[in-house]
Amino acid sequence: MKMKLLILAALLGLSSAQFDPNMKHGRTSLVHLFEWRWADIAAECERYLAPNGFGGVQISPPSESIVVTNPWHPWWQRYQPISYNLCSRSGNENELRDMITRCNNVGVNIYVDAVINHMCGAGGGAGTHSSCGTYFNANTKEFPSIPYSGWDFNDGKCYTGSGNIENYQDVNQVRNCRLVGLLDLALEKDYVRGKAADYMNKLIDMGVAGFRVDACKHMWPGDLSAVYGRLNNLNTKWFNSGSRPFIFQEVIDLGGEPITSSEYTGLARVTEFKYGAKLGTVIRKWNGEKLSFLSNWGEGWGMMASGKALVFVDNHDNQRGHGAGGASIVTFWDSRLYKMAVAFMLAHPYGVTRVMSSFRWNRNIVNGQDQNDWMGPPSNGDGSTKPVPINPDSTCGDGWVCEHRWRQIRNMVIFRNVVNGQPFSNWWSNGGNQVSFSRGSRGFIVINNDDWTLDATLNTGLPGGTYCDVISGQKEGSGCTGKQVQVGGDGRAYFKISNSEEDPFIAIHADSKL
């Protein structure tokens, strides 16, 4: 019996570990450096992410992809692999390895965006129009570098006229037919599973801490389980012996479809798309929603269990109208609301949090649709991605938004680290859009999203003393560049926040005490 329990414990250990982001030094958040070059990420880990308490980076897909020139080098070409060579518009294999090493050496994890559901589009043609010149033939489904052939795709199992997914109410279509024409891999085949696992294992051995797995709704959970079961433990140069890769699966589930995120939460974490869609509605005050309704935010709002969720205000898809959430999604284009939403997310204990770091593009919205939603990152005339220049004021130039460098967001990433493990407590609201709460006795946030001044004495849960607000400024040495908050011996403090302020919210924590 004891032996059986040990075996069971070993099996459970394999799965449960895939929910752990393996972050170092009490860090709690990752940042998606969308479309950044490997050389820029390596530098950012050293100069900014590590010193400011970021736990990890989600990188864009490192596998070799098709090159699309009409439209001109769109961001989505990277979601159309043609080989598993580690060669992309972000850099080559040596640059990738250098980045992984340098980020790990300063305790910042790398999470790879893995595309294993499909290869390029069926209309991708034949030739060497790929990020590193590898030959492929989409017409005959030949990807000789891996190699995959026509036998390795799902076309024989798809019964729609077009070969594409036509009806999301049909589970078999969603998982066996082509997602927007992308050649759908037959992941129930042992050979295909082996090739996907080999690709991921090469990255694990190089030192990555885990994966965002793309398009999981379009793969059978049993097939994913088989692939995950073949993955190596993390590299012991940087991770504890026996550590498993952290996996967060992209499953868009806003309700109304037969495939639900709960089919995947037994395997690993899942992206909770309801989080940003619903928080956006609340922050925008649409449909009568109010911040005061957030007292039971998380599971109480129909979301998956906190321990299963990867959460975000926006992501690379829905910030440009793709994916899920629609017009309610708040992004850097709505910077004032965005900072408030991200601060709420980082202060609240639900889920593992991901911060977005974007690039600007020329939006051209016609009848509610952005005609330029395809546009790729800032690039040179030949389509190669531009470096990320850092301005003297620590913002980024050349069209890179770098939300993770905004003071308010960076300081809330630190706030989350300081309050990690503390309970959600001392909730207060005015019944409208003024709310506050503490994280035990370690941190406190108050937000005014009403159209009038917040004027209240509130229980912060913090020990008495003078604290520096980390939104309007921060503690520097023994001084404070922002507002100061006096907390009494009873934990109460007086707040007055005008609705017209640039940032109508205040956050203080144990490490911002003067």
Side-chain angles (χ1 to χ4, degrees):
M1 181 65 191
K2 191 176 178 195
M3 196 62 210
K4 276 186 181 166
L5 284 173
L6 285 172
I7 292 168
L8 186 65
L11 290 171
L12 286 173
L14 280 182
S15 64
S16 66
Q18 279 161 192
F19 297 85
D20 178 358
N22 305 301
M23 288 181 190
K24 312 284 200 324
H25 315 304
R27 298 174 186 173
T28 52
S29 296
L30 58 141
V31 55
H32 184 191
L33 297 180
F34 180 48
E35 283 279 11
W36 280 43
R37 297 156 67 247
W38 309 148
D40 288 317
I41 296 175
E44 190 72 348
C45 282
E46 294 167 342
R47 73 193 167 203
Y48 197 86
L49 300 179
N52 288 295
F54 286 82
V57 179
Q58 178 184 320
I59 64 170
S60 289
S63 47
E64 186 176 16
S65 73
I66 194 169
V67 169
V68 175
T69 51
N70 184 24
W72 184 253
H73 297 273
W75 63 268
W76 43 254
Q77 72 180 19
R78 295 192 67 167
Y79 290 88
Q80 298 196 32
I82 60 91
S83 84
Y84 293 141
N85 300 328
L86 298 174
C87 193
S88 67
R89 71 188 291 172
S90 287
N92 61 32
E93 183 172 334
N94 288 336
E95 290 167 312
L96 177 68
R97 188 182 303 275
D98 178 64
M99 172 199 74
I100 294 167
T101 300
R102 287 166 60 188
C103 291
N104 276 333
N105 284 345
V106 292
V108 179
N109 293 348
I110 297 295
Y111 305 102
V112 169
D113 196 341
V115 184
I116 58 171
N117 171 67
H118 56 261
M119 298 302 283
C120 68
T128 55
H129 49 295
S130 55
S131 36
C132 290
T134 298
Y135 176 83
F136 67 97
N137 186 336
N139 307 322
T140 58
K141 291 174 270 200
E142 299 288 332
F143 298 91
S145 171
I146 293 177
Y148 285 144
S149 69
W151 298 105
D152 299 317
F153 293 86
N154 267 336
D155 296 320
K157 295 207 300 291
C158 173
Y159 302 111
T160 63
S162 63
N164 295 333
I165 301 168
E166 294 172 7
N167 174 16
Y168 272 83
Q169 298 300 317
D170 180 337
V171 172
N172 289 292
Q173 271 187 49
V174 175
R175 290 176 176 154
N176 292 338
C177 297
R178 297 170 181 173
L179 168 63
V180 294
L182 299 164
L183 293 169
D184 200 67
L185 285 164
L187 211 60
E188 88 283 359
K189 285 186 63 178
D190 193 68
Y191 175 78
V192 177
R193 290 173 176 178
K195 289 300 183 182
D198 288 349
Y199 163 59
M200 296 168 81
N201 278 331
K202 178 169 183 175
L203 290 158
I204 289 171
D205 295 347
M206 288 169 72
V208 308
F211 302 90
R212 175 221 185 235
V213 183
D214 181 65
C216 286
K217 182 196 285 189
H218 303 284
M219 293 179 275
W220 295 93
D223 295 345
L224 286 171
S225 182
V227 172
Y228 300 162
R230 293 185 183 199
L231 297 182
N232 297 342
N233 289 341
L234 300 185
N235 188 322
T236 52
K237 180 175 178 185
W238 294 292
F239 301 96
N240 293 334
S241 178
S243 296
R244 296 295 293 159
F246 177 53
I247 294 172
F248 51 106
Q249 307 167 99
E250 184 211 14
V251 180
I252 298 174
D253 173 14
L254 294 175
E257 291 179 27
I259 296 178
T260 63
S261 54
S262 63
E263 293 175 52
Y264 297 85
T265 48
L267 302 176
R269 287 210 184 228
V270 173
T271 51
E272 181 50 280
F273 278 86
K274 291 173 184 167
Y275 194 100
K278 293 183 174 185
L279 186 57
T281 305
V282 172
I283 288 281
R284 294 183 185 278
K285 301 188 271 197
W286 286 359
N287 309 332
E289 295 283 10
K290 300 171 181 171
L291 282 179
S292 58
F293 298 165
L294 297 179
S295 59
N296 64 340
W297 181 241
E299 294 94 341
W301 278 62
M303 296 180 216
M304 64 187 78
S306 177
K308 308 283 190 181
L310 185 287
V311 300
F312 45 96
V313 171
D314 63 329
N315 82 334
H316 71 276
D317 270 318
N318 64 20
Q319 68 171 201
R320 43 181 53 72
H322 286 231
S328 76
I329 298 297
V330 188
T331 71
F332 69 88
W333 297 108
D334 319 286
S335 62
R336 189 168 185 262
L337 291 178
Y338 188 70
K339 287 178 285 185
M340 219 182 304
V342 174
F344 179 87
M345 173 183 79
L346 291 169
H348 195 281
Y350 181 88
V352 167
T353 44
R354 178 178 64 194
V355 171
M356 185 65 199
S357 193
S358 317
F359 57 81
R360 277 185 192 80
W361 70 97
N362 293 320
R363 291 194 296 182
N364 177 24
I365 296 171
V366 180
N367 297 328
Q369 280 298 110
D370 182 2
Q371 304 302 301
N372 288 340
D373 61 4
W374 57 269
M375 284 188 164
S379 52
N380 302 303
D382 62 357
S384 59
T385 305
K386 285 185 174 179
V388 180
I390 307 299
N391 299 323
D393 65 357
S394 97
T395 59
C396 300
D398 252 357
W400 299 96
V401 182
C402 294
E403 298 96 316
H404 70 285
R405 280 175 166 261
W406 294 2
R407 178 189 68 242
Q408 301 86 341
I409 291 176
R410 173 200 66 221
N411 284 346
M412 287 306 297
V413 166
I414 295 168
F415 177 106
R416 189 175 192 80
N417 295 343
V418 173
V419 304
N420 189 27
Q422 295 290 312
F424 173 78
S425 42
N426 293 302
W427 172 263
W428 169 88
S429 84
N430 70 338
N433 288 292
Q434 298 179 0
V435 298
S436 68
F437 61 90
S438 82
R439 293 292 302 278
S441 60
R442 298 277 293 166
F444 173 83
I445 187 169
V446 52
I447 303 174
N448 179 16
N449 197 30
D450 267 331
D451 297 327
W452 52 85
T453 298
L454 179 152
D455 191 330
T457 299
L458 304 170
N459 186 6
T460 69
L462 272 55
T466 305
Y467 292 81
C468 183
D469 169 35
V470 299
I471 303 304
S472 55
Q474 62 214 355
K475 184 176 164 184
E476 290 185 4
S478 59
C480 174
T481 61
K483 300 172 184 170
Q484 295 188 22
V485 177
Q486 302 291 336
V487 176
D490 59 357
R492 293 167 72 78
Y494 173 68
F495 295 92
K496 188 170 188 178
I497 304 175
S498 165
N499 58 299
S500 62
E501 289 184 34
E502 180 197 350
D503 295 307
F505 59 104
I506 288 172
I508 55 178
H509 58 73
D511 289 358
S512 80
K513 193 174 185 185
L514 297 173

